Amino acid sequence: MPNAYSRAEKAHTTDNEGIRLQKLLAQAGFGSRRKCEEIITEGRVEVDGELVTELGTRVDPAHQQIRVDGSRVRIDGRHITLVLNKPKKVLSTMDDPKGRFTLSDIVGDKYERIFHMGRLDYDSEGLILMTNDGELSQHVMHPKYEVEKTYIATLEGKIGGNVCRRLVSQGVQLDDGLIKLDHCAIIDGSRESTIVKVVLHSGKNRIVRRIFSAIGFPVKRLVRTQIGPIKLGDLKPGTYRVLSQPEVRSLSKEVGL
């Protein structure tokens, strides 16, 4: 366990500097001010690697690293993270020389230097994360962190549970290698089509469409409903919302920040 935050170190954050630690935690979504005081006194908070248990300690989040239960507290008024529901026929880019609809037509110019974390193909729908936090984006998209992505796919034709089980246990060989699903479940089906829920870590281009096309069941409709802990929920197509601090914190924890 780290040593207690020393008086010498606290001298750098006097009563006239920084923000009180419990106030910072409350702003970051850890609960009421009183709840955040309990988190501090329980020995769950570190500042620059040192344990802090004294109430009233002031910190500078721009220059100090604060962690709760080992996870970094990310507070930066300049950073914004959005979840957007992309409709079909919208490009996963911010501009298009051909004049087609893009993500910027949905988000507008309200947020400076915002960009998308990953893509969906032109005919696919659903959840796209956007941010102006470069570090968060880099971690979310890096294969190292294997962020799970959940899709609802409507397939041409009727498939059985044995097909889903085989895609999880054995996978399918594509041009760029063997790929397995983490989870596959049939939601509904008829003689003409089948609706399946699939979960996988891969972020390769058109990966879900390529998997099912390879086994003879082309995808008629594809909707991404979740990335890591962030869910699409009831967000309407063509709209977006700002992630709450607890949501940003859970996403950051998922990708090792």
Side-chain angles (χ1 to χ4, degrees), residues 15-239:
D15 287 343
N16 295 321
E17 296 176 341
I19 181 174
R20 289 185 182 274
L21 185 54
Q22 57 264 45
K23 182 178 180 181
L24 176 75
L25 297 181
Q27 291 177 351
F30 283 91
S32 66
R33 193 78 61 88
R34 178 164 293 184
K35 174 63 177 177
C36 292
E37 289 175 351
E38 292 175 0
I39 291 174
I40 295 169
T41 57
E42 288 170 359
R44 297 166 56 190
V45 183
E46 297 173 28
V47 177
D48 290 338
E50 300 294 337
L51 189 66
V52 177
T53 57
E54 186 174 330
L55 299 178
T57 299
R58 291 180 177 270
V59 294
D60 180 358
H63 298 97
Q64 293 177 290
Q65 188 177 103
I66 297 96
R67 292 181 178 271
V68 175
D69 298 329
S71 297
R72 187 173 176 181
V73 177
R74 299 170 62 81
I75 287 286
D76 190 331
R78 300 167 298 176
H79 288 163
I80 192 80
T81 302
L82 312 176
V83 55
L84 179 146
N85 188 347
K86 185 188 94 65
K88 292 178 67 173
K89 310 300 182 185
V90 173
L91 286 175
S92 296
T93 184
M94 296 306 287
D95 68 326
D96 177 50
K98 297 181 180 180
R100 291 171 291 182
F101 280 100
T102 68
L103 300 177
S104 63
D105 290 304
I106 298 174
V107 177
D109 57 3
K110 182 177 180 180
Y111 305 104
E112 189 175 0
R113 294 188 297 276
I114 199 161
F115 49 90
H116 46 89
M117 293 185 268
R119 299 172 181 266
L120 285 170
D121 67 70
Y122 191 56
D123 289 318
S124 294
E125 310 163 55
L127 192 157
I128 284 186
L129 293 173
M130 305 186 70
T131 191
N132 57 7
D133 184 339
E135 184 181 31
L136 177 62
S137 176
Q138 183 180 22
H139 278 242
V140 169
M141 293 191 293
H142 200 291
K144 171 183 176 181
Y145 298 101
E146 297 188 329
V147 179
E148 281 191 347
K149 303 168 186 69
T150 302
Y151 299 83
I152 303 297
T154 303
L155 313 176
E156 290 185 14
K158 183 177 182 179
I159 70 170
N162 61 316
V163 176
C164 272
R165 288 190 292 273
R166 190 165 62 248
L167 288 174
V168 173
S169 62
Q170 300 177 25
V172 61
Q173 186 70 39
L174 302 178
D175 292 341
D176 51 354
L178 179 71
I179 184 73
K180 294 182 180 181
L181 297 180
D182 299 315
H183 175 78
C184 179
I186 296 173
I187 297 176
D188 197 4
S190 65
R191 189 173 298 177
E192 292 77 27
S193 64
T194 308
I195 300 175
V196 296
K197 176 182 178 180
V198 298
V199 180
L200 73 167
H201 289 90
S202 175
K204 291 181 178 179
N205 186 39
R206 299 175 63 86
I207 188 63
V208 177
R209 292 183 183 276
R210 291 195 288 131
I211 287 171
F212 286 103
S213 290
I215 61 172
F217 297 94
V219 175
K220 297 197 295 183
R221 185 186 182 197
L222 185 64
V223 182
R224 184 160 63 196
T225 59
Q226 188 168 347
I227 297 177
I230 308 303
K231 298 180 179 181
L232 188 63
D234 57 2
L235 192 64
K236 294 181 179 179
T239 65

